[in-house]
Amino acid sequence: MAHYGVVLVTAGSEAEATTIAQHLVENNLAGCASIAPVRSIYRWQGQIETAQEWQLTIETDLDRFDDLARAVKSLHTYRVPKIVALPIVKGDDPYLYWLETVVEPTPAVIGAGFQASTTPTQFTLTDDQGTVYCFPSAGTVSYTHLTLPTNREV
């Protein structure tokens, strides 16, 4: 089950915020990332600072928070970027369903050389050579044995 949430990140420039947002959405770590200018007042190394920053509001499945945070840190210019998650306590069902379909869950290792991921409409296997196999999923469908086109069993 997805644990929906919003992650807040600030960036030092609009370009940096856009790069981070684009990467998160392209890599299915976020369904959406909104960017807005903000004025921040904060303490850094004993001094009170004021800065123009860019606030990212990132909509995601919080089960992916660690992957999302790693991605943000790899692209961010700050030594200590703000990466804060807030849970979505309630939401409109169609919106939450959409969010679930666009943010991929953490892949599960299911057998030697295979990883699996699921969405509400698709079950995907990736083998150790990068070959991807897709199967339809209808919520309660479960696969206990699959024979792939290459005759490899899972």
Side-chain angles (χ1 to χ4, degrees):
M1 182 175 113
H3 298 95
Y4 309 108
V6 173
V7 177
L8 304 176
V9 173
T10 51
S13 71
E14 184 177 14
E16 180 179 34
T18 300
T19 296
I20 293 168
Q22 190 78 33
H23 178 83
L24 296 176
V25 173
E26 285 176 357
N27 289 281
N28 299 334
L29 293 169
C32 177
S34 303
I35 301 170
V38 296
R39 182 172 177 204
S40 298
I41 301 171
Y42 56 95
R43 185 177 300 275
W44 181 248
Q45 298 180 338
Q47 301 293 318
I48 302 295
E49 303 283 341
T50 301
Q52 174 71 38
E53 293 185 296
W54 294 85
Q55 176 80 51
L56 288 91
T57 303
I58 303 161
E59 302 160 23
T60 191
D61 178 346
L62 294 180
D63 289 342
R64 298 299 311 273
F65 179 82
D66 292 340
D67 295 330
L68 184 147
R70 265 191 298 280
V72 169
K73 289 176 188 177
S74 75
L75 298 167
H76 213 292
T77 58
Y78 291 176
R79 272 193 304 166
V80 183
K82 174 177 99 176
I83 308 172
V84 179
L86 306 169
I88 296 174
V89 177
K90 278 282 217 205
D92 186 53
D93 287 339
Y95 164 79
L96 295 177
Y97 176 78
W98 167 81
L99 186 56
E100 184 177 344
T101 64
V102 296
V103 178
E104 289 185 9
T106 304
V109 176
I110 61 164
F114 287 94
Q115 286 195 330
S117 63
T118 61
T119 69
T121 59
Q122 183 172 283
F123 174 74
T124 304
L125 286 173
T126 306
D127 69 17
D128 52 1
Q129 285 115 37
T131 305
V132 177
Y133 307 93
C134 298
F135 304 91
S137 174
T140 59
V141 172
S142 65
Y143 295 98
T144 57
H145 181 85
L146 293 171
T147 301
L148 304 177
T150 58
N151 291 324
R152 290 181 68 184
E153 290 187 359
V154 179

